[in-house]
Amino acid sequence: MALFRIRRGAPEPERQSPPAEDWNPSGFALPRHVAIIMDGNGRWAARRSLPREMGHREGVKSMREIIRESGRLKIEALTLYAFSTENWSRPKDEVGALMSLMLDCFRNEIDELNRSGVRVRVIGDVSRLPDTHRAEIASASARTSGNAGLKLNLALNYGGRDELVRAARALARDCAAGILDPDSICEASLAARLDTAGLPDVDLLIRTSGESRLSNFLPFQSAYAELVVTPTLWPDFTAEEFHRALDEYFSRDRRFGGRK
Ligand code: IPE
Ligand code: IPE
Ligand code: MG
């Protein structure tokens, strides 16, 4: 099939997602906001005796596939954890490789994302990222800001505690400036100062690679999220795996502390 023919020097063919009609025949309501802790790139590489960087590179293919599938399913928002505030503690060469991969992604993927109607934003403290990254992030956000499709949020130098501290500072500043009465502060006024302001709460939080922890990801926004942990390593995570996580979500009884 022409679709799968590999020409020398041509980019690898994209993995093909199963058609959406083949799945969710009952038409269950999709989560509005899916967040993913994309974990296991290092182990994927180690199992193949490859450098960790190769695992991160392979992980970008999964990102592409899941972004495409989320758009096709008309999920409102997808937030992907790409680099945490704690990831700076990794060896310099790995941090460097991740930073350069990040830049490549912004440079190589934005045209396609823009064509697909994706609105790209970054959450996290971008002030610690290099100027080149900040410029690419600003340009990607500006170029795609009018798009009406998937709201894609990339978490870069993101830490949930750091985000809450920055939001607390913003609240304090507004109180000091007399714009805000401290007694009127409520959940909504805090949420409005988070990096995810304007997005719905996370409905489904997926973590790959079998680890059952949050690792400082979206603690406020995920307060009532359904958690799905899969042993699959992120570079092996496909649209089919994504469907399985969504099926698991459909089977959950979300009570929000109430009673049926
Ligand atoms: C996730 O993969 C990617 C980032 C944290 C940037 P890891 O690099 O954490 O992979 P493992 O957990 O070591 O397998
Ligand atoms: C979480 O994965 C961060 C990202 C996926 C970007 P880590 O691999 O850094 O988390 P821990 O160390 O297992 O908690
Ligand atoms: Mg990890």
Side-chain angles (χ1 to χ4, degrees):
M1 229 160 62
L3 206 56
F4 293 100
R5 196 182 306 137
I6 306 174
R7 276 173 288 129
R8 197 185 301 273
E12 265 184 67
E14 283 299 324
R15 293 175 289 198
Q16 297 298 302
S17 314
E21 312 84 65
D22 288 350
W23 171 78
N24 192 18
S26 312
F28 287 113
L30 288 158
R32 286 183 69 192
H33 189 172
V34 176
I36 309 184
I37 303 175
M38 309 182 290
D39 199 15
N41 296 349
R43 276 162 283 173
W44 184 93
R47 283 181 195 171
R48 289 161 180 77
S49 306
L50 293 168
R52 289 179 66 85
E53 188 185 342
M54 295 302 290
H56 296 314
R57 290 200 171 275
E58 195 65 23
V60 174
K61 295 183 188 168
S62 301
M63 282 175 71
R64 246 183 242 135
E65 182 163 336
I66 300 313
I67 292 167
R68 201 193 308 121
E69 188 60 7
S70 299
R72 198 168 67 151
L73 293 172
K74 303 217 174 345
I75 286 171
E76 181 179 336
L78 174 70
T79 302
L80 301 175
Y81 206 4
F83 191 90
S84 75
T85 46
E86 288 71 33
N87 287 147
W88 295 106
S89 66
R90 296 194 179 193
K92 257 201 171 99
D93 60 344
E94 185 172 358
V95 170
L98 283 165
M99 286 293 148
S100 85
L101 190 58
M102 232 181 254
L103 203 56
D104 287 353
C105 282
F106 273 95
R107 289 183 174 154
N108 302 332
E109 311 287 336
I110 293 303
D111 285 348
E112 177 56 31
L113 291 172
N114 194 27
R115 269 197 297 276
S116 313
V118 175
R119 190 200 73 179
V120 183
R121 280 195 188 160
V122 165
I123 63 165
D125 183 2
V126 290
S127 71
R128 260 196 84 185
L129 297 178
D131 289 348
T132 41
H133 288 62
R134 283 158 57 186
E136 290 291 342
I137 289 167
S139 136
S141 310
R143 272 184 69 195
T144 63
S145 64
N147 289 346
L150 177 72
K151 292 168 183 164
L152 172 66
N153 310 293
L154 298 167
L156 301 179
N157 190 29
Y158 176 87
R161 288 181 172 181
D162 174 71
E163 181 192 37
L164 284 164
V165 167
R166 287 185 286 108
R169 280 193 203 124
L171 286 169
R173 267 196 302 270
D174 287 349
C175 289
I179 306 165
L180 189 67
D181 171 6
D183 290 327
S184 76
I185 293 175
C186 59
E187 291 184 12
S189 35
L190 176 60
R193 285 158 182 87
L194 296 173
D195 299 342
T196 51
L199 292 170
D201 281 346
V202 175
D203 297 302
L204 169 62
L205 177 64
I206 300 171
R207 183 163 187 154
T208 58
S209 89
E211 312 286 0
S212 305
R213 57 177 166 263
L214 280 182
S215 299
N216 206 6
F217 192 42
L218 301 171
F220 185 90
Q221 302 88 334
S222 295
Y224 255 104
E226 294 299 324
L227 310 180
V228 172
V229 171
T230 164
T232 304
L233 304 175
W234 177 249
D236 292 326
F237 195 81
T238 58
E240 274 177 290
E241 281 271 347
F242 188 35
H243 292 173
R244 274 196 281 280
L246 290 164
D247 281 332
E248 168 77 38
Y249 170 82
F250 296 150
S251 75
R252 303 280 177 86
D253 181 17
R254 301 189 79 192
R255 290 187 292 277
F256 298 98
R259 283 179 64 181
K260 283 274 158 67

